[in-house]
Structure formats: structure tokens, C-alpha cells
Amino acid sequence: MSLVSRHRIWIFPLLVVLTFLLLVAADVNGSSVGALVSGPDSNLIAGTPQVVRADEYVNASPLAVNQVRLGFPGYTYIGLTNMDAALSANLPTSDLTAVFRPQIAGYHFLSPSRGLAWQWWFPLVAGLLGMYWLVYVLTRKLTFAVVLACVGVFSPYIAWWSMWPATALGFLSAAAAGLIVAVAADRTWVRYVLAVVAAYAGVVAVLTLYPPWVLSLSMVFGAVVVGVLVDQRVPWQRVAAVVGSSTAIFSFTLLAWQSAHSTAITAIRNTI
């Protein structure tokens, strides 16, 4: 690959990240929290707050901002219950869970309103970059990778869910791409760094805590990874080493998280 082609690969990711940073810096989000304002909303730039999205502007966004005001507690009262905040994918906390929730990381070092902007746009960044990486790894076609990433992320379904599914889409795409590239890498250290990246991406996706997204996407991307490895006839010893180490890190991390929050998880199970 020529130096020019190598540089072209980074144009789309850089544009996505730059746009994201500008939107956060400008304190712009797509929240419908303006629906709570009586009369004209002076902060409204364009569009109309969607009253139907009460799950966002009544629950998710105010609760996240409240976590910031309270100092990111591990437990917070919601309704009449003192709830384990780590069991909600949208509540920033100060425990280890925060490492695997980059979509809400902005609340930890930005103002609450810019933290909301970070949370609003980050799923699109994750989705675009994850899909772009995977499609490029599979096809080696830059334009096709950009187009397919945009088609996948800017879909009505993702928009309806306030962009939240894009986090699972992006990180599971990245996990699949990471494993494919890791197994093909010639250098041992590159293989295992990418195995760790894949494991981390998988944990982030799982901790969105929405099984319909995670399970369905995992089956699709899992099939893609298996198909590529079979097609490339990669030595099974290398596949076992890379996939095995990534799976071990992924499993250990999730088991540790489950153990730390077992009381709340058991309580949720007992309500079904």
C-alpha cells in the first residue's frame, strides 16, 4: 500500500472525530428535554422537541445529569428504590464500570450539558468508525466502507432509539475487525494488542445492557469472523491463541463485573 493510500484511510475517521469534537465544544445535542420548558425554549437551535421521547428527556438525560451533581454515586434513588447505577447503561458512575462506558465518559471531565452532548453524539462516532473499520478490512474499498458505514448508522431504527443502538453496532463491528486483523497479523505483539482491543470492544457492547441488540449483532458479526477465518485458511493454532486470549479477557471482565453487581442482578432476575 502506498503512503498516499495509507493516509487516505484516515480521512473519514478524522472527519468523524473532528465533527464530534466540534459538536461537543459547541454544546449541541438532540435531546428533547426542551419539552419540559413551558413556552418558547431559548436554547432550541432547530427542530421540535419530541414529546413521545419521554424515555429520554424525563428519565435518561435528567438521571445522568443528576449523577454528576451527586458525585457519580454507585447507588442512586430512582422512584422509591435505591438502585445500583451500574445496571443502567446511561448512568455515569465512579467505579470500574466507567472504563467500559465511553459513551458517557464526557460527564466525568466536561460540564453536565457538554457531557450530554458527548453522550448524544458518541454512539454515532462509534458506529461509523466501527462499521468503517470492519467493512474496509473485509473489502479494502474505502468508498464502499464509508458508504456502508453511513447507511448502517444513519438508519431510521437507530435514530428512533436516540442513537443508542449505534454503540453496540460500532463496538461489535470493531471487535470483529480486531479479531480478523489480529489473526492475520505477522507480529505476535500486534496480534495480542488487537485481541485486547477486541475484548474491550466486546465488553463495551455487552454493557449497553440491551440483549436484543447485542445478541442479534453478535450472531451476524460472529458468522462474518468465522467465514473470513475459514476462507483465509488461517492456522488453527494462531486462531486458537488469538481468539482464545481475547475470549478469556472478555469473559473474565464480564464475570468480575457480574460479581461486583450480583445483588442487583439477582434482584432483577427475581422480578421476572
Side-chain angles (χ1 to χ4, degrees), residues 7-270:
H7 286 165
R8 286 181 61 219
I9 294 173
W10 296 102
I11 293 176
F12 179 69
L14 287 174
L15 287 175
V16 170
V17 172
L18 179 60
T19 301
F20 168 68
L21 294 177
L22 289 174
L23 286 169
V24 173
D27 203 2
V28 175
N29 63 68
S31 173
S32 289
V33 72
L36 301 175
V37 177
S38 58
D41 183 1
S42 60
N43 294 314
L44 183 64
I45 298 174
T48 304
Q50 300 300 307
V51 179
V52 72
R53 292 318 314 265
D55 57 332
E56 181 270 317
Y57 68 82
V58 172
N59 294 317
S61 297
L63 288 172
V65 172
N66 188 54
Q67 282 290 102
V68 179
R69 296 180 62 187
L70 294 176
F72 307 104
Y75 283 79
T76 186
Y77 272 92
I78 297 179
L80 301 176
T81 305
N82 193 23
M83 191 187 84
D84 187 340
L87 269 294
S88 172
N90 299 308
L91 296 185
T93 60
S94 58
D95 68 354
L96 192 59
T97 304
V99 177
F100 301 99
R101 294 246 170 92
Q103 67 270 31
I104 51 177
Y107 287 113
H108 291 278
F109 57 88
L110 299 170
S111 65
S113 61
R114 284 189 170 84
L116 177 58
W118 177 289
Q119 180 183 8
W120 193 267
W121 302 116
F122 186 90
L124 294 183
V125 175
L128 288 170
L129 297 186
M131 281 288 292
Y132 172 77
W133 186 21
L134 178 60
V135 176
Y136 181 74
V137 165
L138 295 174
T139 66
R140 299 295 171 179
K141 296 180 179 179
L142 284 175
T143 302
F144 185 65
V146 171
V147 170
L148 201 58
C150 291
V151 169
V153 172
F154 297 120
S155 66
Y157 182 86
I158 287 178
W160 171 254
W161 283 93
S162 301
M163 275 76 81
W164 297 339
T167 301
L169 174 65
F171 279 95
L172 286 174
S173 299
L179 288 176
I180 292 170
V181 177
V183 171
D186 293 325
R187 296 181 180 180
T188 302
W189 71 269
V190 173
R191 293 179 205 158
Y192 290 105
V193 167
L194 288 172
V196 172
V197 169
Y200 173 82
V203 172
V204 172
V206 170
L207 290 185
T208 59
L209 300 178
Y210 202 82
W213 300 336
V214 176
L215 292 176
S216 57
L217 290 171
S218 295
M219 288 188 286
V220 173
F221 293 134
V224 169
V225 172
V226 171
V228 170
L229 298 182
V230 171
D231 185 60
Q232 293 181 346
R233 294 180 172 82
V234 181
W236 69 267
Q237 297 93 335
R238 182 184 294 190
V239 174
V242 172
V243 177
S245 60
S246 186
T247 302
I249 296 169
F250 169 82
S251 301
F252 175 81
T253 304
L254 285 180
L255 287 172
W257 181 85
Q258 181 184 27
S259 176
H261 304 283
S262 59
T263 301
I265 292 172
T266 299
I268 291 174
R269 286 176 176 170
N270 290 337

